[in-house]
């Protein structure tokens, strides 16, 4: 028998289609899985990606790289540094009574004057002789705050009266050159008065430091012992020749 003819209007059969590859589907794991874990399912198996673990590993690698970089920079910097050696001379100097006296004067008395709010710059440095050429004719013993500060730093003062004399001299020089009614003279006199007021406020501590300084200065200095001469006078161990009897 003959095959049945295709129905009218039906399409002719075309070439066979290739089946599409299965797609990977990502989904969040169940709550029992690790936080940040994701899974991908496909036919024939299952792949789990722990994103939090991957991020943690990447952060550790980045931190380790930063540590190595900082260590390298520190090693290079240390290669150009010399070890700090503390001088025993400076340490012993600061322990002496006159050094403690000068430091106490600088901290408790002079600091208030050095930070004077009005016209501080006018007294902080020596007077410019080019701007004021006649200053040397009037002032024979110039002094300024920076000079007093250096004397304190170098431990030049052995008692407060010498320090206060310098403050009074600064005020007297200003009055001699500018006149007593000048605003600079008024401020200079006020600074000298403040220095005396600060000394009176810490009178007991200053008196103790001055007493210790005077006692340390009165102690006789130790002189090095001379080596004893060798036996036999100047010779090297030879006994002197016997004297010849007189005839």
């Amino acid at each position: 028998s003959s095959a049945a003819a295709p129905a009218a209007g039906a399409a002719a059969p075309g070439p066979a289609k290739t089946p599409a590859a299965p797609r990977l589907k990502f989904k969040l794991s169940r709550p029992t899985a690790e936080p940040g874990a994701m899974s991908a399912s496909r036919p024939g198996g299952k792949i789990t990606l722990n994103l939090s673990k991957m991020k943690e590993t990447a952060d550790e690698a980045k931190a380790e790289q930063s540590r190595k970089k900082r260590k390298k920079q520190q090693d290079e910097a240390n290669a150009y540094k010399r070890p700090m050696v503390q001088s025993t001379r400076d340490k012993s100097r600061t322990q002496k009574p006159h050094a403690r006296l000068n430091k106490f004067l600088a901290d408790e008395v002079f600091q208030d004057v050095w930070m004077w709010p009005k016209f501080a710059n006018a007294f902080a440095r020596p007077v410019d002789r080019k701007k004021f050429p006649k200053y040397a004719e009037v002032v024979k013993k110039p002094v300024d705050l920076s000079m007093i500060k250096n004397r304190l730093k170098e431990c030049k003062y052995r008692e407060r009266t010498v320090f206060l004399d310098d403050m009074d001299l600064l005020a007297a020089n200003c009055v001699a050159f500018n006149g007593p009614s000048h605003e600079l003279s008024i401020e200079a006199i006020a600074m000298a008065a403040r220095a005396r007021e600060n000394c009176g406020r810490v009178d007991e501590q200053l008196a103790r430091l001055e007493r210790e300084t005077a006692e340390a200065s009165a102690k006789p200095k130790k002189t090095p012992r001379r080596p004893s001469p060798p036996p036999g006078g100047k010779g090297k161990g030879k006994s002197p020749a016997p004297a010849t009897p007189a005839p």
Side-chain angles (χ1 to χ4, degrees):
S1 62
S2 58
K17 294 183 179 180
T18 306
R23 296 182 179 180
L24 295 175
K25 296 180 180 180
F26 292 89
K27 64 179 180 179
L28 292 173
S29 300
R30 294 181 180 180
T32 55
E34 295 183 9
M38 298 185 68
S39 63
S41 61
R42 65 178 179 182
K46 183 179 181 180
I47 302 175
T48 302
L49 302 177
N50 193 336
L51 299 183
S52 61
K53 186 67 175 178
M54 294 171 62
K55 184 177 183 301
E56 182 180 352
T57 304
D59 292 342
E60 290 178 357
K62 186 176 180 181
E64 181 64 21
Q65 186 178 3
S66 299
R67 282 194 294 268
K68 290 181 179 180
K69 184 177 180 181
R70 287 196 301 268
K71 187 177 184 305
K72 182 180 178 181
Q73 293 175 348
Q74 186 65 29
D75 293 342
E76 292 177 353
N78 292 336
Y80 293 96
K81 290 181 179 179
R82 294 182 177 179
M84 295 294 293
V85 179
Q86 186 176 6
S87 175
T88 56
R89 179 180 179 184
D90 295 339
K91 184 177 180 180
S92 61
R93 182 180 179 185
T94 56
Q95 294 175 352
K96 293 182 179 180
H98 75 280
R100 296 199 302 269
L101 171 62
N102 281 265
K103 187 178 186 307
F104 189 83
L105 281 171
D107 296 340
E108 300 297 332
V109 179
F110 182 73
Q111 184 65 22
D112 191 18
V113 178
W114 178 258
M115 301 299 294
W116 198 258
K118 195 173 182 181
F119 303 118
N121 293 332
F123 304 101
R125 296 289 181 269
V127 175
D128 191 348
R129 303 298 178 87
K130 293 182 179 180
K131 293 182 179 180
F132 305 97
K134 294 184 178 180
Y135 187 81
E137 300 177 4
V138 179
V139 177
K140 303 302 180 181
K141 294 179 63 178
V143 67
D144 57 85
L145 293 180
S146 64
M147 186 183 299
I148 298 175
K149 185 177 182 180
N150 289 335
R151 289 176 181 176
L152 287 168
K153 187 177 180 180
E154 296 173 1
C155 304
K156 297 294 186 180
Y157 297 111
R158 299 300 176 112
E159 53 187 12
R160 78 184 88 176
T161 55
V162 182
F163 164 78
L164 292 175
D165 288 344
D166 283 346
M167 291 299 305
D168 291 341
L169 180 61
L170 183 145
N173 290 344
C174 188
V175 171
F177 186 76
N178 298 298
S181 60
H182 196 277
E183 54 184 354
L184 286 177
S185 301
I186 296 174
E187 293 300 320
I189 295 172
M191 284 193 298
R194 177 66 62 84
R196 290 188 175 276
E197 179 183 347
N198 291 343
C199 285
R201 178 173 49 85
V202 291
D203 179 72
E204 294 183 3
Q205 295 91 324
L206 284 174
R208 176 177 55 82
L209 291 171
E210 289 172 339
R211 184 170 57 254
E212 293 176 358
T213 300
E215 291 174 356
S217 301
K219 290 182 180 179
K221 296 182 179 181
K222 295 182 179 180
T223 56
R225 294 180 60 183
R226 296 181 180 180
S228 57
K234 298 182 180 180
K236 296 183 179 179
K238 296 180 181 181
S239 57
T244 306

